[in-house]
Amino acid sequence: MSIRRSLVKIAGLKQSPRFPVRVRPAKADVEIAQTIARHTSPVPEEIARALAWGADEKVLLVLASIGWVASRGGGEQVRRAGDHALLVALASSLLPHAMKLIFDQTRPDRKTVLGHVHGISFSGKRDDAFPSGHALHMGALASAAGVLPPGQRRAIRAIAVSLSLARVAILAHWASDVLAGFALGAVLERLLRPLTGYPPDSLKEKKDAYH
């Protein structure tokens, strides 16, 4: 036993946790991943991988930047919406990277042989499964859509959920990674609202009219 451990034991203190923290998938996560690995094939995997690009942080940052520039020519409320979209996109990109410095979790695509035979390919870094950055972006989008008319809100949220589930379908993430990322994104978007003044008053009035 090392001197440090001996002193800790004598003092009756707990050792500080070691980082990064190892996160293990739940039993349900493993069962879902195994089912996908057994029943998938190259064509649906290619489709799911293409869909997942719609939630990629680089794509979303470019779109948010374009929207922000375009919003500069509008009124105050339009500019607020542009500010909010850009800030949320930036924060949603930084948060998962910061969390992946703290948490390590092996991606499901690194734990299957059968899945690769059926068309699964490798995604990202081996131990960057938790949380899903793609789902975090989509959770933020789904939350921001809450002030839109019912039809638009449902459409955007359906897209957000579908793009998030695509990350499970290609075994880039365990199902719990996607659920956690989606929830974190929704919370993050709400926390940033006071900083940007989102939603604009016009959207608040429309939302109240729908209820």
Side-chain angles (χ1 to χ4, degrees), residues 48-60:
R49 187 166 291 279
L51 287 173
W53 270 102
D56 183 79
E57 66 176 36
K58 299 181 184 65
V59 173
L60 295 175

Side-chain angles (χ1 to χ4, degrees), residues 39-162:
H39 298 288
T40 192
S41 62
V43 173
E45 284 300 314
E46 287 298 324
I47 294 174
R49 187 166 291 279
L51 287 173
W53 270 102
D56 183 79
E57 66 176 36
K58 299 181 184 65
V59 173
L60 295 175
L61 280 171
V62 169
L63 292 176
S65 298
I66 293 173
W68 183 84
V69 172
S71 71
R72 298 306 91 182
E76 179 183 353
Q77 296 189 19
V78 173
R79 293 196 299 272
R80 282 187 192 177
D83 292 342
H84 187 71
L86 183 59
L87 181 60
V88 170
L90 288 170
S92 298
S93 297
L94 294 174
L95 180 58
H97 287 294
M99 292 186 68
K100 287 173 183 181
L101 295 175
I102 301 173
F103 300 103
D104 267 2
Q105 186 182 49
T106 304
R107 294 182 187 271
D109 62 16
R110 302 313 204 275
K111 290 181 171 290
T112 179
V113 174
L114 181 62
H116 296 307
V117 173
H118 289 168
I120 298 289
S121 57
F122 293 118
S123 298
K125 296 180 180 179
R126 176 185 176 87
D127 291 326
D128 278 0
F130 182 85
S132 168
H134 289 66
L136 201 151
H137 276 287
M138 292 298 98
L141 176 63
S143 176
V147 299
L148 297 177
Q152 296 177 24
R153 180 173 65 244
R154 286 193 290 269
I156 290 174
R157 287 179 172 175
I159 292 172
V161 170
S162 298

Side-chain angles (χ1 to χ4, degrees), residues 1-10:
M1 182 179 294
S2 68
I3 295 176
R4 179 178 180 275
R5 290 185 180 179
S6 299
L7 292 173
V8 169
K9 185 175 181 180
I10 293 171

